[in-house]
Amino acid sequence: VKTQNSCPTFDLTEKSTMNHLRTTTTNLAQSHLRQRPPSSQTSLTSTLTRSKSTGTRGSRGHGWLKKYRDGLGGRHLQGRWHYRDVEELKAINEEVFGMNQLLIAKGDSEKVPTEAYLDLSVAGEEPRRVVIELAAAALPKTTENFRLLCQEKPGASSENGEEVVPFVGYASTNVYKIEKTVGLCLGDVVTNNGSGGRCHPALGTPTSPYSFRDEGHFISHTQPGIVSMMSPGVHRNDSRFLITTTDAPQLDGRFVAFGRVKDDGMDVVFDIFNGVFTKRGRPTVEIKVTGCGVL
C-alpha cells in the first residue's frame, strides 16, 4: 500500500507478529533472571567451585590439577607419590646396607672398606668430621669411585693408559651449592663450582673416560643423610655427589644413592645447611673439604 507521496508502509500483520516475538523473548529473559540465585549466593558458589576446581583435562588428562592440589602428585607432576610407602622403602634401605655384613663375615671388610669420612671446615674454622657408611656390597663400583676419590691426595697423578694424568680428589674441594629442597652439593674435582666433574681414572673406560654407568637404584632418598651421586644424565656418574637433608622422592630413580651419614655427622650437615647464608643457593662463605679418607 502506498500513500500519495509514494512512501513505503509496512504490513500490519507482519508488524504485529514482530511485536509478539519481541514481547515473548523479553518475558523469557525476565523469567530466567528471576530464577537465578542472589548475587551473594552466586559468589559463594563460584568461590567454592574455584577452590576445588579440577582444571582442564587437556593433554595432562584425568584431573591432574585436582590431584596436584590434593598432594597426590603423579609421574609427570610435582608433589609426592601418593602410593609411596616410606616405611617400606626405609626397610629396604636397611637390607641393602645390611649386605655389608657379608663382607665382614668373609673377612673382606679390610680389602673393601665400608666407611669413609669428610672433614668440613666453614669459613676457615676448625674442621668437623662427617662419617659415611657405604653400601659396598650392593654397589661396589659406585662406592669404589667414592673411596678412591677420598684417598686421592692433592697434586697426585694417576696413570691412564700410557700417559700420566694429573688428578685431584675430594680433598680441598668445596661445598658449592646448598639446595633447600635437597641438601648439600659437593664433589666437583674439576672446576669446583658444580659445572664439571670426572670419575676416578681407575673406573674410566676408553669410550667413557670421565664417567661410568648407573649401577642400580637400590637405595631410596627417604630420609636426611642419604649420600647420592649427582649425575647430569643417565649413565653419566662422575665425582659430584650430594647429602640430603630431607626426604627427596624426586631423586628416586634418577640419582644413584650409595651411602648414608652416620650418627653425629648429621649435626655437622644440619649446622651447615641451617647456619650458612646462601645467595641463589651459593654459599656466601667457603665450605672446604680439608681432609678425607676411608676408615
Side-chain angles (χ1 to χ4, degrees):
V1 180
K2 295 185 178 180
T3 57
Q4 295 180 355
N5 55 6
S6 301
C7 293
T9 58
F10 297 96
D11 187 2
L12 295 178
T13 305
E14 181 180 355
K15 183 177 180 181
S16 61
T17 302
M18 294 297 294
N19 290 336
H20 177 71
L21 290 175
R22 188 179 296 109
T23 304
T24 304
T25 305
T26 303
N27 292 337
L28 288 174
Q30 292 177 352
S31 64
H32 176 70
L33 291 175
R34 285 194 296 268
Q35 293 175 1
R36 295 181 62 184
S39 58
S40 60
Q41 184 177 354
T42 304
S43 176
L44 178 61
T45 305
S46 61
T47 302
L48 294 175
T49 303
R50 283 196 301 270
S51 65
K52 297 296 288 184
S53 174
T54 58
T56 57
R57 300 175 77 86
S59 59
R60 293 290 185 111
H62 306 295
W64 66 269
L65 185 56
K66 182 177 184 300
K67 291 182 180 180
Y68 172 74
R69 287 176 171 173
D70 291 342
L72 299 181
R75 183 174 295 275
H76 303 293
L77 304 177
Q78 299 177 15
R80 305 292 184 181
W81 293 80
H82 58 279
Y83 54 85
R84 185 173 184 265
D85 191 339
V86 176
E87 296 302 323
E88 181 181 359
L89 294 176
K90 287 183 178 180
I92 295 175
N93 289 354
E94 291 294 334
E95 293 180 5
V96 173
F97 285 105
M99 293 174 63
N100 289 340
Q101 298 299 323
L102 299 176
L103 298 177
I104 299 175
K106 293 181 179 180
D108 295 338
S109 58
E110 295 182 0
K111 299 179 182 179
V112 185
T114 58
E115 290 184 357
Y117 70 90
L118 300 172
D119 293 332
L120 301 178
S121 174
V122 179
E125 296 180 355
E126 186 71 19
R128 301 170 65 187
R129 177 159 294 187
V130 176
V131 179
I132 300 173
E133 180 184 3
L134 305 175
L139 299 162
K141 191 172 184 178
T142 308
T143 55
E144 181 185 3
N145 178 67
F146 186 79
R147 288 197 310 268
L148 292 175
L149 289 172
C150 287
Q151 292 174 309
E152 201 74 38
K153 303 301 180 182
S157 23
S158 300
E159 294 185 3
N160 186 4
E162 298 179 354
E163 58 178 340
V164 177
V165 180
F167 189 74
V168 178
Y170 287 143
S172 75
T173 59
N174 296 336
V175 176
Y176 57 83
K177 199 168 187 181
I178 300 177
E179 290 283 356
K180 295 302 181 183
T181 58
V182 178
L184 309 184
C185 304
L186 60 163
D188 185 354
V189 300
V190 178
T191 60
N192 211 11
N193 60 10
S195 62
R198 62 164 297 173
C199 67
H200 194 275
L203 277 79
T205 62
T207 57
S208 180
Y210 302 111
S211 61
F212 59 95
R213 297 176 62 87
D214 295 339
E215 198 168 9
H217 302 280
F218 306 137
I219 302 174
S220 302
H221 303 79
T222 55
Q223 60 192 25
I226 297 296
V227 184
S228 178
M229 299 301 296
M230 194 167 54
S231 60
V234 179
H235 302 312
R236 294 176 61 189
N237 298 289
D238 44 46
S239 59
R240 289 168 289 183
F241 67 98
L242 60 87
I243 302 175
T244 63
T245 54
T246 184
D247 178 22
Q250 69 273 20
L251 305 183
D252 290 347
R254 181 181 179 185
F255 294 158
V256 178
F258 61 91
R260 60 182 176 183
V261 177
K262 294 187 63 177
D263 305 331
D264 298 337
M266 283 310 299
D267 295 337
V268 181
V269 174
F270 278 122
D271 287 346
I272 295 175
F273 182 77
N274 298 318
V276 175
F277 181 76
T278 61
K279 185 176 182 180
R280 294 185 178 180
R282 301 288 180 175
T284 56
V285 297
E286 185 182 55
I287 309 171
K288 177 175 272 189
V289 180
T290 59
C292 53
V294 296
L295 299 175

